[in-house]
């Protein structure tokens, strides 16, 4: 019997996308800038996770265990004015970092995987990504 081929070395990563609808404005911009006025987006948020080893039956994290993040988006951000409910200016960049902080505090302690990044898209062609250091 031949010896099995060595497995390639690498990193396993998973991602899950979530959506919510919300409005915002960026009052720090000049009044003639279109984003200084109230407007809305169909946001898409992707969480990207990694792990050093897989949990049974071979998961980084069971996708069902990400439900608290979905609940947070639905209950706290969906169909809201983000500048009224967030402690940060609601740019995509700051929203990505804020959501990473929320995920690390409220979800990560209860799952085997580690958050690697959060990506926030306001449109199909524009996005911001926050990468967690040390993952």
């Amino acid at each position: 019997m031949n010896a099995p081929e060595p497995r390639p070395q690498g990193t396993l990563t998973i991602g899950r996308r979530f959506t919510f609808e919300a409005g915002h404005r960026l009052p720090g911009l000049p009044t003639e800038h279109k984003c200084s006025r109230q407007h809305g987006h169909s946001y898409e948020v992707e969480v990207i996770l990694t792990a050093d080893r897989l949990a049974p039956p071979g998961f980084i994290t069971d996708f069902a265990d990400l439900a608290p993040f979905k609940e947070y988006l639905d209950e706290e951000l969906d169909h809201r004015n983000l500048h009224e409910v967030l402690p940060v200016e609601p740019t995509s960049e700051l929203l990505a970092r804020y959501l990473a902080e929320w995920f690390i505090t409220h979800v990560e302690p209860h799952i085997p995987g580690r958050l690697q990044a959060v990506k926030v898209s306001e449109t199909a062609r524009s996005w911001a990504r926050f990468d967690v250091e040390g993952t």
Side-chain angles (χ1 to χ4, degrees), residues 9-75:
Q9 297 299 308
T11 303
L12 290 165
T13 305
I14 62 169
R16 178 82 186 231
R17 288 190 192 115
F18 303 90
T19 60
F20 68 95
E21 307 287 328
H24 74 147
R25 59 184 168 77
L26 300 174
L29 293 172
T31 56
E32 61 274 6
H33 193 289
K34 66 181 182 177
C35 292
S36 71
R37 298 186 298 274
Q38 185 70 30
H39 61 285
H41 297 288
S42 296
Y43 285 92
E44 183 176 273
V45 176
E46 183 174 4
V47 294
I48 302 161
L49 297 109
T50 190
D52 296 329
R53 66 179 72 101
L54 298 179
F59 290 157
I60 289 175
T61 295
D62 185 338
F63 287 118
D65 292 338
L66 304 179
F69 187 69
K70 171 71 171 142
E71 291 168 10
Y72 174 75
L73 295 175
D74 289 347
E75 294 172 13

Side-chain angles (χ1 to χ4, degrees), residues 3 5 7 30 44 63 70 81 89 93 119 125 127:
E5 293 291 320
R7 291 187 174 162
E44 183 176 273
F63 287 118
K70 171 71 171 142
N81 288 320
E89 191 77 18
E93 295 87 343
K119 182 177 172 183
R125 296 187 313 250
W127 55 268

